[in-house]
Amino acid sequence: MYQDRFQYHDYYLVEELLTDEHRLIRETVRAFVKKEVTPIIEDYAQRAEFPRQLIKGLAEVGSFGPYIPVEYGGQGLDQISYGIIMQELERGDSGIRSTASVQSSLVMYPIYTFGSEEQRLKYLPKLATGDWMGAFGLTEPNHGSDPGSMVTHFKDMGDHYLLNGSKMWISNAPFCDVAVVWAKDETGTVRGLIVERGMAGFSTPETHGKWSLRASATGELVFDNVKVPKENLLPNVKGLKGPLSCLNSARYGIAWGALGAALDCYDTALRYAGERIQFGKPIASFQLQQKKLAEMITEITKAQLLVWRLGVLKNENRATPAQISMAKRNNVALALEVARDSRQILGGMGITGEYPIMRHMMNLESVVTYEGTHDIHLLITGLDITGINAFV
Ligand code: TGC
Ligand code: FAD
């Protein structure tokens, strides 16, 4: 059976910047991941299956809507707590973190921020406990980086809305109970609708054949003349800023999360390099391997400071979308680099499921693409610093 020997690395003592509550949250989620996630995750990834039995435990350690107020079933925690939870979950697997990101930032966040009081009370407590699982439908087959060109649309039929179109690459879709779906009304304005499983004409076919994020369920959301009750429209937002605001929250969590995958790869490679003997010495004694390890911990340390500072700004409501883009782009790219270098340090063993590195590396190929690609986040930074839009 897989033995999880993970040890956290905190080269600049960033933990000292955290509160006792933050540290307790980290310990709780880390223990859950060690006990429930890492012993089984390789097997589920190999089988391309989401381990649904983890949902209850994920809810119990506060993974679903940790910053949502207590009266709606959340924990009322701060943004650094949210980041820590995402980091510990992604240390286990990016797919597990994905499920928590979608539930928290892409389903609970919009219902809390843009929903009516009735919607908040109906959906949030059940989403917080994992009794209901959510999905977020923005991307379409022909509209990924450019969601403003979406074609999914709805018509006002008097006593209900009639929704048509489809969404693609949707995390949690195959098993979701509810989906927050972004679609255009008859004036072409983007609006959010809550669609429930069981509504006639709504289906969620699974996407197969992924080499990445295999322990996460991905699928489509298909709407064929779906009658959506009028009370399911999110009343308090109009336009693309609705879904993009949700992305700010999810991208922030990913900036923390990707570091978890990076730390797991680095920790594995460091230990392996100390134990693996070639030419009569541990491979950690060779300068080439030390260079890789030293550069990894340097980049990880910079990224730890980046997300901590971003968390402080987010707690103060001062984090800008462009700052979040910078952190998402930087931290996911560095995690991929760390995964690639770690895999090399393990030689042939690095490609096997006996170690978590190859799984993290493949997962991160999705993470660098979803929630805005590496290129899109660079263009967001470019626009922010020059004032010139280079998207079009
Ligand atoms: P643009 O004209 O720039 O903006 C339209 C309106 O939106 C506002 N806005 C934002 N508001 C809040 N937060 C942001 N980050 C915002 N960015 C823009 C903007 O002010 C404007 O408001 P208003 O009032 O003037 O109408 O829009 P654009 O069409 O030019 O597109 C800009 C662009 C390319 C940056 C954006 O569309 C983008 O970020 N594209 C990437 C798409 C993306 O990230 N998709 C993610 C799908 S969800 C997902 O991947 C989940 S994976 C989950 C998991 O498993 O973890
Ligand atoms: P495209 O937009 O077609 O981009 C292709 C390439 O062109 C990229 O390299 C991109 O950077 C580049 N490009 C595009 N526009 C420009 C430009 N203006 N300038 C320069 N280069 C450009 N979406 C959801 O709505 N909900 C989900 O839950 C969800 N989960 C996902 C889970 C997985 C596993 C994956 C892989 C994706 C998921 N997505 C989800 C979709 C994801 O957000 C999109 O894949 C992503 O936004 C990119 O869109 P695209 O794949 O259509 O690529």
Side-chain angles (χ1 to χ4, degrees), residues 136 138-139 144-145 169-171 366 369-371 373 375 379 391:
F136 174 88
L138 180 63
T139 306
S145 298
W169 294 117
I170 307 304
S171 301
S366 287
T369 297
Y370 66 35
E371 298 274 3
T373 66
D375 297 333
L379 294 175
F391 288 103

Side-chain angles (χ1 to χ4, degrees), residues 42-239:
E42 179 64 29
D43 189 35
Y44 276 82
Q46 294 278 358
R47 285 165 22 204
E49 189 182 330
F50 172 69
R52 288 182 71 172
Q53 72 276 19
L54 294 183
I55 287 175
K56 276 286 155 204
L58 283 166
E60 278 162 21
V61 297
S63 312
F64 300 153
Y67 53 79
I68 298 291
V70 180
E71 61 263 40
Y72 300 108
Q75 317 232 4
L77 297 175
D78 73 347
Q79 290 293 324
I80 291 181
S81 304
Y82 173 55
I84 289 169
I85 294 170
M86 295 299 113
Q87 187 171 107
E88 293 301 323
L89 293 180
E90 194 147 0
R91 205 283 291 177
D93 189 81
S94 303
I96 302 301
R97 195 271 307 138
S98 269
T99 289
S101 286
V102 170
Q103 186 86 342
S104 301
S105 285
L106 300 182
V107 179
M108 296 177 74
Y109 173 87
I111 293 174
Y112 174 68
T113 311
F114 306 127
S116 64
E117 191 58 15
E118 291 73 25
Q119 290 168 342
R120 289 170 162 191
L121 292 170
K122 176 176 177 188
Y123 295 104
L124 294 176
K126 286 203 163 67
L127 289 162
T129 55
D131 287 324
W132 285 351
M133 292 302 292
F136 174 88
L138 180 63
T139 306
E140 298 187 354
N142 294 321
H143 308 285
S145 298
D146 176 21
S149 299
M150 70 174 69
V151 293
T152 298
H153 62 281
F154 61 96
K155 272 189 186 158
D156 188 337
M157 306 302 282
D159 63 342
H160 64 272
Y161 297 118
L162 199 63
L163 176 65
N164 277 289
S166 66
K167 299 288 175 180
M168 191 179 177
W169 294 117
I170 307 304
S171 301
N172 299 356
F175 60 81
C176 71
D177 302 287
V178 295
V180 170
V181 176
W182 300 93
K184 284 182 175 165
D185 68 12
E186 286 152 281
T187 69
T189 304
V190 172
R191 302 295 305 262
L193 293 163
I194 305 170
V195 179
E196 296 183 21
R197 187 171 292 284
M199 288 180 176
F202 174 43
S203 58
T204 60
E206 183 154 3
T207 302
H208 296 288
K210 291 180 300 169
W211 284 107
S212 172
L213 228 64
R214 287 169 63 82
S216 163
T218 312
E220 296 168 54
L221 303 174
V222 181
F223 315 105
D224 180 10
N225 285 320
V226 180
K227 283 185 180 178
V228 181
K230 286 205 151 170
E231 64 264 25
N232 284 30
L233 182 78
L234 294 176
N236 298 325
V237 75
K238 287 183 182 179

Side-chain angles (χ1 to χ4, degrees), residues 305-318:
L305 289 161
L306 190 69
V307 287
W308 171 77
R309 177 64 187 152
L310 189 63
V312 171
L313 291 174
K314 202 142 192 318
N315 277 343
E316 294 169 355
N317 237 348
R318 290 196 296 146

